[in-house]
Amino acid sequence: MNVPHRQAWLRLLTAAVALCLLSACTSAVGEQARRRSSGEPVDGGTLRVAALTDLIPASVFGQSSNGGNAVIGLVYDSLVEYPHDSLEARPALATSWKVAKDGRSIHLELRDDVRFHDGKPFTSEDVKFSIRTIADPKWAVQLQRTAAAVTGFDTSDPHAITLTFDRPLSNILDLLDIVPIVDKDTFSQVKAGTGYNGTGAFRFDEWKPNSEISFSRNDDYWGGKPHLDGVDVKIVPDPQAQAAGIRSGQYDLLLGATARDAETFSKDPKYEVLDFEGATQQTYVGFNLKNPDLKDVRLRQAVAFAVDRERILDEVYRGEGIAQNLSWSPGSPAYDEKAAHHYDRDVDKARELVDGLGSVASLPLQYIAGDPTAEAVAQIVQANLDDVGITVDLEPVEYAQMYQRLVGADYDGLWIFGHTYAQYTPATLPVSAYPFNAEHNASNFLSPGYAAHADQAWAAAAPDGPKAKRAYAGLNADMVDNVWLTDLVTFWPRLVTTSAIHDIDYTKRTELIARDAWKDQ
Amino acid sequence: MLSYLVRRIPSAVGVLFAASFLIFLMLRLIPGDPVDALAGQDATQESRDAIRADLGLDKPFWSQYVSWLGGLFRLDLGQSYRIGGDVGDLLRNGALNTVVLTVAALLIALVLALVTSLVAVIRDSRWLNAALNAVNTIGLALPTFASGLLLVLVFAVVFPLLPSGGTPPEGYLARPDISVQYLLLPAFCLALPVWAGLSRFLTEALRSQLRQPYITTARAAGVSRTRLVVRHALPNALPSAVTVLGIQVGTLLGGAVLVEQIFTWPGLGSLIELAISGRDYPVVQVLLLLSVAVFVVTQLLTDVLQAWLDPRIRIGGAR
C-alpha cells in the first residue's frame, strides 16, 4: 500500500488551514448576535423563535402546538379579541356587534379595508366559511359544538353578517375570538401545510417539517405595517437546547422554557420573561370512577384534601401560578374563592376520611412518561397521599397511550394531566374541555344535575348575568361535592426573550402575536 | 456469479415482504391511536370518526395493507398523518441531514485517529501517551448526551464561538464557511467515541508492527522513526483498522439519533422519534422497512462479495 509522502501531508495540512481560515471569515454566531439597543421602536430584523413542537397541518385549528399557534397568531386574524385579563371582547375584523336579547343571534359589522395576503378582499362570506370549517368535526376544534350550533348566516352585506343559533350561546364571543378567518379559495393548501392565506400581520412563506416555519411582514396589514421584517420559527424539541440557543445568540424568543429556566432567565438582565396570565392552563389529578375504590367520593375527597398544591406550585412551577382546586381564575365570572380553596391541604381531614373507609387498596397513578413536570408532580402527590395512608403506584405511560386512555376513559385509577379553557366564558369548560364534559368525560362521571347546570350556563344570554351566575354556582358545587377530578395548579405560559425584543403579545389560547413587536437595531 | 446473485434475490424479496407485513401489523397492535394523537383530548367522538375516515383508518386491515403496498410499488410513500407532508419528502430531507452529519463525523474520527495514533507512536513519550490514553478513555466512556451538552456549554454558551444547534439556514452549499461551523459541534460529538476506539486500536496495531523483524531490519539500515512508522508500519496496520472502522460505522448511525436530538439536527433519528410518539403510521412504516431493506441489501452484497472472493462458496451454493 502507498503511504502519502511529505508533499501530500503538506497539501492536507494546507487544506485544513484554508478551511479554518474560511471558517474564520464569517462567524455563524456573529451573524446571529443581536444588535445594539436604541430604545425606540424601529423597523427591521427577523424574530428568531425556538418552538418545542412543530405545526401539525391536519389539526392546526384544533390541537395546540407551538408551531401551529405561531401560524394562527401571525397569519390570521379573528373577528374579536379578548384581552388577557378579562372577557370584554375588543374589535378586530369585526368593528362592532350586538347579541339579540334572546341570545339566539348576533349581528356583526365588519371592516371594509381588509385584504387577504393574496390580495382578495375580506367579506362576510369568509366569516361564514371559517365558522363552517370550525364546525366540521374533521378539524376537531374544541369549540366545534358551539360552531355547529351556528345554523344561519346572513351574508347579504359583504361587510356585515348576522349569525343565528339553534340555541342561545353564552360563549359565542369565545368562538369569534378563537375562529381564525380563512380564505375559502386557498383552503385546500392548509391541510398539506403548503399555504396559509390570512389577513394577519405576517405572510406564511414556507414550512419545512420538523425543522422550521418562516413568515414575512405583510406591508398591507390593516392594522399598520409591522416593525419586524419577518419571523423564523425553528423547531427545537429539547428545552435545554432552547436555553443554550438563546444564550449563544441563536434565538430571540423561547416558546418552551421550563419553569426553572424561566426563573433563571428572569434574574439575568440580558433576558426578559413575559407572563401571560390570561392564557391559563391547569394541572389536575383525575379519578376514574370505574375503579371500585374510587367510586366512593370520600376517597376522592381525601385525595383532594391530601395533595399539597402550594408545594407543587413552589417546587415545580417555581411559584408562578395559583394553587387552587377549581380552574377559574379570579377574573372569571364563575370564580368563587371559597370553592376554589375548599380542598386546601388538610391532612387531618384527609386521614379522617381514609379512616372512615377502612382499608384502601393501593391505587395506580399514571402520568406522561419522560415529562419532567408530570413526573415531579406525581412524586409529590405520591408522598402527600402516603402521609394520609393512601398508597399509590407511579406508572409512567407513553404520551400516545396516555391520550388513548384519556379519550377512552380507561385509566386504571388516578392520573395526572393538563387542561385549559377555564380562561374563557365559563360555559366553555363543561361544554368543550373533555375532562369536564358533562355528557362524556375521562372520569366516567355522569350526573343529571351537573349536565343541567352546564346547559344552563351555556344557554344564559348574558355570561355574567344573574342567571348565568346561578348556573356557575351550581357547577362549582357539583365540582366540589363530586370531585371527579381535582385541580392542582393554575399556571400560564412564560415566554423568554432577549432584552432586544419588545412588545411581543399572546392570545388567550397561547398564539404568538408579533404585529407590534420590534427588535433593537 | 450472476446465477448466484439471481438465486439469492428471491429470498431477499421474501424477507422484505414478510417484514412489510410484520411492520404493518405490529404498529397496529401497539397501544396508542393516531386519531387520538391527532384529534386531541377535547375532540368529540364525531370528530374522531371523521378523522379516522379521512385517514382511511376505518377500512379493513387487509385493504389498508394492500393499499400501502400498492403505493410502495408506485413509489408513492404516502402522506404523513401527524407530521404532515409527503413521506418521501420527509425521508429525503431527513436522510440528507443524517448522511451529512455521519459522513462529517466519520471524517473527523478518521483524521483525528490517524493523527493522534501516529503522533503517539512516533513521539513515544510517556506523558503524551498518558494524555492520549486519558482522552481516549473519556471519549469512550462519556455518553453522547453528556459530551453533547458539555460541548454546547463550552463552545456555544460560555465561549459563544459556534452555534448550539440547528442546520445551516441557507443550506449546506450556499455558505460552506457557515455550514462547517454548524457541523463542527454535532459531528465532533458523534465522532468522539469512534475516534477514541479507532485511535486506541490503531496505536496498538502500529506498536505491534514496530516489533516485527522487518522494522528491526529497516531501523538497522538507519531509517528514521517517523519514516519507519509512516512508510512501513502504517500501511500494514491500516487493513485491520479499516475492519474496526466498519464496525464503528454502526455505532455512528446509532449515535446519530441522540446527537440529532441534542443539536436540533432534523435528521432521520429525530424523524422516527417524532413519528413513533405521534403514531404516524405511514412515516414509521417506511422508516422501519427502509432499515430492513438496508440490512437485506448489505447482507446480499456481503454474500455476493464473499462468493466472488471465495469460489468454494459459489460451488457450495451451486450444489
Side-chain angles (χ1 to χ4, degrees):
Chain A
M1 181 183 283
N2 285 330
V3 174
H5 48 73
R6 184 172 298 176
Q7 284 87 344
W9 281 109
L10 276 174
R11 276 201 292 273
L12 195 68
L13 192 66
T14 312
V17 170
L19 194 63
C20 290
L21 286 174
L22 193 65
S23 292
C25 286
T26 318
S27 160
V29 175
E31 285 212 335
Q32 298 159 346
R34 64 186 160 83
R35 291 168 246 175
R36 289 250 161 234
S37 168
S38 62
E40 289 298 314
V42 283
D43 289 347
T46 297
L47 179 69
R48 299 158 310 161
V49 179
L52 274 185
T53 46
D54 198 2
L55 159 71
I56 306 167
S59 63
V60 63
F61 303 122
Q63 250 202 81
S64 196
S65 72
N66 292 157
N69 286 355
V71 170
I72 301 290
L74 297 172
V75 174
Y76 295 105
D77 288 312
S78 54
L79 292 167
V80 304
E81 287 178 354
Y82 280 142
H84 296 142
D85 55 354
S86 82
L87 295 170
E88 297 294 323
R90 294 185 302 211
L93 291 178
T95 53
S96 63
W97 54 91
K98 192 168 171 49
V99 179
K101 276 188 182 164
D102 63 357
R104 285 181 176 268
S105 68
I106 184 170
H107 177 79
L108 298 111
E109 294 291 329
L110 308 175
R111 292 189 74 98
D112 58 5
D113 57 349
V114 179
R115 287 180 179 274
F116 283 94
H117 296 152
D118 66 354
K120 193 190 118 180
F122 156 69
T123 67
S124 52
E125 281 295 333
D126 299 309
V127 176
K128 179 180 172 182
F129 179 76
S130 302
I131 292 175
R132 284 203 161 158
T133 300
I134 296 304
D136 182 345
K138 259 195 314 214
W139 288 100
V141 178
Q142 283 81 355
L143 268 79
Q144 187 258 335
R145 279 180 72 194
T146 305
V150 180
T151 47
F153 300 85
D154 178 359
T155 57
S156 51
D157 180 346
H159 303 302
I161 188 167
T162 301
L163 309 173
T164 47
F165 324 135
D166 65 357
R167 51 165 299 143
L169 298 174
S170 67
N171 63 342
I172 183 62
L173 289 175
D174 292 2
L175 180 74
L176 303 185
D177 170 75
I178 286 170
V179 173
I181 299 303
V182 297
D183 167 41
K184 181 168 67 175
D185 299 336
T186 54
F187 192 70
S188 58
Q189 299 168 352
V190 167
K191 213 165 189 178
T194 52
Y196 295 91
N197 187 27
T199 59
F202 291 87
R203 297 166 188 271
F204 169 84
D205 289 336
E206 191 188 11
W207 171 56
K208 293 182 188 164
N210 197 21
S211 180
E212 65 179 290
I213 316 167
S214 47
F215 307 87
S216 58
R217 183 176 61 205
N218 174 13
D219 288 335
D220 303 321
Y221 184 53
W222 58 270
K225 194 171 91 171
H227 296 298
L228 293 168
D229 289 337
V231 179
D232 280 348
V233 178
K234 299 269 184 194
I235 310 306
V236 185
D238 178 18
Q240 279 185 315
Q242 288 202 2
I246 199 169
R247 285 190 190 283
S248 67
Q250 227 173 326
Y251 311 120
D252 301 312
L253 187 154
L254 306 184
L255 289 177
T258 61
R260 200 170 282 276
D261 280 340
E263 186 186 29
T264 309
F265 281 117
S266 69
K267 292 172 185 163
D268 188 334
K270 286 186 287 188
Y271 304 97
E272 282 186 17
V273 176
L274 312 173
D275 293 334
F276 291 99
E277 298 188 17
T280 54
Q281 297 164 21
Q282 286 75 21
T283 298
Y284 69 92
V285 176
F287 307 97
N288 187 354
L289 273 54
K290 281 197 172 164
N291 178 305
D293 292 308
L294 289 168
K295 270 189 180 144
D296 194 325
V297 73
R298 289 175 299 169
L299 179 57
R300 307 196 302 263
Q301 287 171 338
V303 173
F305 275 123
V307 287
D308 190 346
R309 296 178 181 79
E310 292 291 346
R311 184 181 162 196
I312 292 169
L313 178 63
D314 289 343
E315 291 184 13
V316 183
Y317 295 92
R318 314 307 299 165
E320 295 297 326
I322 307 168
Q324 57 183 20
N325 54 269
L326 291 187
S327 309
W328 324 111
S329 294
S332 167
Y335 181 72
D336 174 346
E337 190 175 359
K338 199 175 160 203
H341 293 277
H342 180 88
Y343 288 107
D344 278 356
R345 192 165 200 233
D346 190 334
V347 175
D348 292 336
K349 208 175 257 183
R351 279 196 189 125
E352 197 180 304
L353 285 161
V354 172
D355 290 344
L357 289 166
S359 65
V360 178
S362 178
L363 295 165
L365 172 61
Q366 293 164 316
Y367 60 95
I368 301 171
D371 177 345
T373 303
E375 191 172 75
V377 172
Q379 285 168 354
I380 293 173
V381 169
Q382 184 188 38
N384 292 158
L385 297 189
D386 195 48
D387 287 346
V388 299
I390 302 171
T391 310
V392 296
D393 301 317
L394 297 188
E395 290 183 11
V397 177
E398 194 218 357
Y399 194 76
Q401 290 183 50
M402 210 48 199
Y403 250 47
Q404 196 177 31
R405 282 176 172 263
L406 186 87
V407 170
D410 188 30
Y411 285 110
D412 295 332
L414 312 178
W415 75 92
I416 289 170
F417 216 70
H419 74 83
T420 181
Y421 281 89
Q423 71 271 40
Y424 284 98
T425 302
T428 294
L429 191 75
V431 168
S432 298
Y434 182 56
F436 292 91
N437 194 309
E439 293 179 359
H440 174 58
N441 51 60
S443 300
N444 294 296
F445 169 74
L446 292 174
S447 148
Y450 177 61
H453 289 139
D455 204 55
Q456 285 160 17
W458 202 20
D464 52 357
K467 198 176 160 192
K469 289 200 169 169
R470 274 196 302 278
Y472 304 153
L475 288 173
N476 284 342
D478 293 329
M479 292 174 193
V480 166
D481 293 345
N482 297 293
V483 209
W484 63 94
L485 63 80
T486 185
D487 271 12
L488 299 173
V489 169
T490 289
F491 62 99
W492 41 80
R494 303 196 82 198
L495 266 183
V496 177
T497 72
T498 67
S499 52
I501 303 299
H502 311 273
D503 296 337
I504 289 287
D505 203 358
Y506 229 69
T507 69
K508 271 186 181 300
R509 238 169 68 102
T510 67
E511 292 142 350
L512 182 67
I513 305 285
R515 60 187 166 221
D516 297 322
W518 57 280
K519 190 174 178 179
D520 288 340
Q521 299 292 305
Chain B
M1 192 65 226
L2 189 66
S3 63
Y4 178 78
L5 181 65
V6 169
R7 279 200 305 278
R8 299 304 305 260
I9 284 177
S11 65
V13 173
V15 168
L16 280 176
F17 260 112
S20 74
F21 178 73
L22 284 176
I23 288 166
F24 198 86
L25 178 70
M26 276 192 308
L27 273 178
R28 277 144 186 85
L29 289 180
I30 57 170
D33 184 350
V35 175
D36 292 338
L38 208 55
Q41 62 165 316
D42 297 325
T44 59
Q45 189 55 44
E46 190 189 6
S47 285
R48 286 173 212 291
D49 294 343
I51 292 169
R52 196 173 298 283
D54 200 40
L55 298 177
L57 290 169
D58 57 339
K59 291 179 184 152
F61 172 84
W62 286 106
S63 162
Q64 290 180 46
Y65 176 66
V66 170
S67 164
W68 176 58
L69 219 54
L72 290 184
F73 280 119
R74 294 191 305 274
L75 296 180
D76 172 13
L77 304 185
Q79 295 289 315
S80 155
Y81 293 164
R82 187 176 160 83
I83 299 169
D86 183 72
V87 176
D89 290 341
L90 290 174
L91 203 67
R92 266 190 293 280
N93 295 336
L96 172 71
N97 290 332
T98 298
V99 167
V100 168
L101 179 64
T102 45
V103 168
L106 194 65
L107 285 176
I108 289 175
L110 264 176
V111 171
L112 288 179
L114 207 61
V115 170
T116 48
S117 304
L118 287 174
V119 169
V121 175
I122 291 169
R123 299 297 293 264
D124 203 23
S125 140
R126 218 175 92 198
W127 291 110
L128 186 67
N129 284 341
L132 285 173
N133 253 334
V135 171
N136 282 346
T137 307
I138 290 170
L140 281 172
L142 210 59
T144 311
F145 62 83
S147 58
L149 292 178
L150 208 62
L151 285 169
V152 169
L153 189 70
V154 175
F155 294 105
V157 177
V158 179
F159 306 106
L161 301 170
L162 295 166
S164 63
T167 46
E170 296 165 44
Y172 294 108
L173 299 176
R175 302 276 301 275
D177 56 332
I178 297 289
S179 299
V180 167
Q181 293 172 62
Y182 272 92
L183 258 172
L184 266 177
L185 286 187
F188 182 75
C189 176
L190 189 56
L192 198 61
V194 180
W195 162 37
L198 196 61
S199 166
R200 183 168 281 197
F201 184 85
L202 192 58
T203 306
E204 281 314 308
L206 284 171
R207 286 197 177 122
S208 161
Q209 287 298 321
L210 287 180
R211 289 192 290 271
Q212 298 298 315
Y214 74 91
I215 294 287
T216 313
T217 310
R219 193 178 286 138
V223 179
S224 72
R225 185 173 175 84
T226 306
R227 196 173 170 80
L228 267 180
V229 174
V230 176
R231 294 295 298 270
H232 300 285
L234 183 62
N236 292 305
L238 274 179
S240 49
V242 168
T243 312
V244 172
L245 183 68
I247 297 165
Q248 296 279 20
V249 170
T251 314
L252 216 57
L253 286 169
V257 178
L258 267 180
V259 171
E260 283 174 8
Q261 288 292 320
I262 297 166
F263 291 95
T264 328
W265 195 268
L268 290 181
S270 54
L271 186 66
I272 198 161
E273 192 269 333
L274 197 65
I276 289 174
S277 63
R279 297 294 187 270
D280 200 335
Y281 291 163
V283 180
V284 183
Q285 281 162 194
V286 169
L287 282 170
L288 291 183
L289 191 61
L290 182 73
S291 59
V292 174
V294 167
F295 183 77
V296 167
V297 170
T298 310
Q299 284 295 304
L300 192 66
L301 289 177
T302 310
D303 288 352
V304 169
L305 199 64
Q306 280 177 343
W308 181 61
L309 291 170
D310 188 349
R312 287 173 300 181
I313 295 174
R314 288 203 299 272
I315 296 161
R319 269 204 295 266

